């Protein structure tokens, strides 16, 4: 079967693009807006509407394969590709990439994905934006699955030598700024990992001694104990602090480890993970910092974990953080890795090298990219999979839960 035509449509994502540098520099919330001027190139405001591009492959037999190009909320930060706007990149796809796929025979996913993931633009001389490679490789996977009359998870498992999970992958839900009301939603739905909590501003959310995070973790522990839907509900607490502990403790890695250990005691009986404790501004320094914090945590003997996020963007980054033991878990932020083939390989690499694999992404994705990644999760079995898109809990949780449930039901019926 061949790909007959490639079609693009501009779309919206489930959240926003936020200028992380401006927020860290002091931009404040004003309702759903932020005050102040943007700092990162390409932004016209500190927060602006997220955009996506749907890429549709019309197949010879009339079926339509579909993927969505999307970029992370904090585009242009932490070594990532720049802001992704549909008007800028639809012409690139139509003029430079579509001709490579139209009239092409559908073979394997890996072969089709490699085309766009390794292509160099004749205009820029560089590989394509991560968002472009992300969406087109989703369409490639869907096209192979439709041509073979299989689930996308089954295609991944067959090509990468894995086995599709026979149970749900634990779902990690994120609250955004509404960390109290949304935590209640997570508890009610019995989310396996919660709440993210968006601790991205020292004065307003973290506290200059970390006291605001500590108070929130204590509240969350008590809330789960009081409101859990069943006695055996025992979620993992996973909070993202966006490097702010480095600011609070002046990058004293031993003190940061001690603080995380103290938080873990507050969280008990629930396990604690802290994502992005520091942001050192560049990759090698970030690796050394997270490795040092992990070593101090091991000396203390805490069962808390830290999660690598900033500066851990590509497959090569995931490999480098893993080899250096820079953290206990790596977030595989799917849009940042470009082609979904790289996310698949990153999960498998982490699992082979004693690093927790968190198949993540961003609130700024779409329902389609979340569904495709659910198939990757079921085929590769990471420790946890992010509920996405959005920060409202219900929508993202529904999308990924239901897609994984469909995979289980279809395979059971077969």
């Amino acid at each position: 079967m061949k790909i007959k035509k490639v079609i693009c449509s501009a779309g919206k994502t489930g959240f926003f693009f936020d200028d992380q540098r401006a927020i860290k520099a002091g931009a404040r919330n004003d309702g759903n807006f932020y005050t102040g001027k943007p700092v990162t190139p390409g932004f016209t405001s500190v927060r602006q509407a997220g955009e996506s591009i749907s890429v549709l492959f019309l197949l010879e037999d009339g079926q339509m394969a579909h993927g969505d190009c999307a970029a992370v909320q904090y585009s242009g930060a932490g070594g990532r590709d720049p802001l992704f706007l549909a008007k800028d990149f639809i012409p690139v796809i139509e003029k430079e990439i579509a001709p490579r796929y139209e009239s092409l025979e559908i073979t394997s996913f890996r072969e089709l994905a490699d085309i766009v993931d390794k292509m160099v633009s004749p205009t820029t001389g560089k590989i394509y934006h991560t968002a472009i490679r992300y969406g087109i490789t989703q369409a490639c996977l869907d096209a192979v699955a439709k041509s073979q009359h299989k689930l996308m998870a089954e295609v991944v498992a067959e090509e990468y030598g894995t086995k599709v999970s026979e149970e749900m992958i634990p779902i990690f839900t994120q609250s955004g700024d509404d960390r109290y009301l949304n935590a209640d939603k997570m508890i009610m739905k019995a989310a396996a990992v919660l709440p993210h909590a968006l601790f991205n501003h020292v004065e307003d959310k973290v506290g200059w001694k970390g006291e605001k995070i500590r108070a929130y973790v204590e509240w969350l522990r008590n809330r789960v104990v009081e409101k859990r839907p069943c006695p055996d509900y025992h979620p993992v607490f996973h909070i993202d602090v966006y490097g702010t502990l480095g600011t609070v403790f002046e990058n004293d890695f031993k003190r940061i480890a001690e603080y995380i250990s103290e938080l873990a005691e507050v969280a008990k009986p629930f396990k604690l993970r802290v994502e992005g404790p520091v942001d050192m501004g560049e990759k090698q320094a970030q690796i050394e910092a997270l490795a040092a914090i992990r070593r101090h945590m091991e000396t203390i003997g805490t069962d808390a974990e830290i999660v690598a996020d900033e500066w851990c963007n590509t497959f090569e980054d995931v490999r480098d953080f893993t080899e250096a033991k820079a953290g206990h878990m790596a977030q595989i932020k799917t849009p940042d890795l470009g082609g979904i083939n790289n996310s698949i390989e990153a999960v498998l690499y982490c699992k082979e090298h004693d690093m927790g694999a968190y198949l993540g992404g961003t609130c700024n994705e779409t329902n389609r990219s979340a569904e495709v990644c659910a198939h990757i999760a079921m085929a590769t079995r990471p420790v946890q999979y992010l509920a996405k898109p959005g920060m409202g809990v219900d929508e993202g949780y529904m999308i990924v839960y239901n897609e994984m449930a469909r995979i289980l039901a279809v395979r059971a019926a077969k």
Side-chain angles (χ1 to χ4, degrees):
M1 189 183 299
K2 292 183 178 180
I3 299 167
K4 186 176 179 181
K5 187 171 180 59
V6 177
I7 303 165
C8 292
S9 65
K12 299 296 184 184
T13 64
F15 204 65
F16 306 94
F17 291 123
D18 285 345
D19 184 345
Q20 188 183 59
R21 290 171 59 200
I23 293 169
K24 286 186 174 182
R28 298 290 187 91
N29 287 107
D30 176 14
N32 199 45
F33 296 89
Y34 276 95
T35 60
K37 294 182 179 180
V39 177
T40 302
F43 280 81
T44 54
S45 59
V46 177
R47 167 168 284 178
Q48 57 193 78
E51 299 186 17
S52 65
I53 299 172
S54 289
V55 178
L56 304 104
F57 287 177
L58 177 60
L59 309 185
E60 267 187 320
D61 65 354
Q63 295 186 89
M64 189 71 73
H66 168 208
D68 277 358
C69 304
V72 298
Q73 173 189 8
Y74 296 116
S75 291
R80 299 185 178 100
D81 277 355
L83 196 65
F84 184 75
L85 303 178
K87 67 177 178 62
D88 295 333
F89 290 101
I90 285 179
V92 175
I93 296 171
E94 292 178 337
K95 293 176 183 177
E96 298 184 13
I97 300 172
R100 292 290 303 273
Y101 283 97
E102 291 176 341
S103 300
L104 190 67
E105 188 73 34
I106 298 172
T107 52
S108 70
F109 162 67
R110 298 173 85 160
E111 187 173 340
L112 291 183
D114 271 354
I115 294 172
V116 68
D117 201 48
K118 295 180 178 178
M119 276 180 70
V120 172
S121 168
T123 303
T124 65
K126 301 178 181 178
I127 60 173
Y128 289 102
H129 195 292
T130 49
I132 289 178
R133 293 183 280 135
Y134 188 47
I136 291 176
T137 53
Q138 293 167 38
C140 291
L141 178 58
D142 193 20
V144 173
K146 284 183 164 61
S147 71
Q148 297 180 3
H149 303 288
K150 294 179 180 177
L151 296 171
M152 287 183 281
E154 293 172 333
V155 172
V156 172
E158 183 176 301
E159 293 197 20
Y160 289 87
T162 65
K163 184 180 179 181
V164 178
S165 178
E166 296 179 356
E167 58 186 14
M168 288 271 190
I169 303 302
I171 298 173
F172 173 32
T173 46
Q174 54 183 349
S175 66
D177 281 319
D178 202 350
R179 60 187 62 83
Y180 293 94
L181 180 61
N182 279 342
D184 281 355
K185 296 180 182 181
M186 297 167 185
I187 296 166
M188 189 177 297
K189 293 178 185 291
V193 189
L194 75 172
H196 187 275
L198 198 68
F199 290 109
N200 62 352
H201 192 279
V202 172
E203 184 176 355
D204 291 348
K205 302 175 185 179
V206 176
W208 286 106
K209 295 182 179 179
E211 71 277 5
K212 293 184 179 181
I213 293 180
R214 185 182 288 105
Y216 178 79
V217 170
E218 182 177 6
W219 173 86
L220 183 63
R221 178 202 65 202
N222 295 337
R223 194 68 167 171
V224 172
V225 170
E226 177 189 0
K227 298 292 187 181
R228 53 184 158 191
C230 55
D232 61 353
Y233 176 54
H234 200 83
V236 173
F237 289 2
H238 181 139
I239 61 172
D240 193 343
V241 300
Y242 292 87
T244 54
L245 298 187
T247 303
V248 170
F249 298 107
E250 298 180 320
N251 289 331
D252 182 333
F253 304 139
K254 183 174 183 292
R255 184 66 191 96
I256 291 170
E258 291 170 345
Y259 173 77
I260 293 171
S261 177
E262 292 163 8
L263 275 186
E265 291 300 311
V266 174
K268 286 184 175 178
F270 307 107
K271 184 179 180 66
L272 177 71
R273 293 192 186 113
V274 177
E275 183 172 345
V278 297
D279 184 349
M280 303 301 293
E282 59 95 15
K283 177 181 168 180
Q284 188 56 39
Q286 186 76 355
I287 288 174
E288 293 170 3
L290 294 190
I293 295 169
R294 175 174 169 170
R295 288 194 300 271
H296 287 303
M297 291 173 69
E298 289 171 349
T299 299
I300 294 169
T302 179
D303 65 351
E305 295 179 338
I306 56 171
V307 183
D309 179 15
E310 302 300 336
W311 303 101
C312 186
N313 301 327
T314 65
F315 172 80
E316 291 75 18
D317 294 340
V318 171
R319 181 194 61 204
D320 293 344
F321 275 74
T322 298
E323 290 180 353
K325 297 187 182 300
H328 302 89
M329 172 180 281
Q331 180 183 177
I332 297 157
K333 190 164 277 189
T334 52
D336 280 340
L337 274 76
I340 57 172
N341 49 312
N342 300 314
S343 292
I344 294 166
E345 292 178 8
V347 173
L348 298 179
Y349 186 88
C350 286
K351 292 178 68 174
E352 291 168 4
H353 294 84
D354 197 30
M355 176 72 109
Y358 157 28
L359 187 65
T362 175
C363 53
N364 194 48
E365 294 190 52
T366 71
N367 61 305
R368 183 55 179 169
S369 63
E371 290 166 351
V372 176
C373 288
H375 284 261
I376 293 172
M378 291 294 284
T380 60
R381 304 188 189 191
V383 174
Q384 62 192 44
Y385 174 47
L386 179 66
K388 58 186 183 180
M391 287 286 197
V393 179
D394 302 303
E395 301 85 354
Y397 187 86
M398 171 192 69
I399 289 168
V400 303
Y401 182 98
N402 290 356
E403 189 67 13
M404 288 194 287
R406 285 187 284 265
I407 294 167
L408 292 173
V410 168
R411 285 181 58 77
K414 285 183 177 181

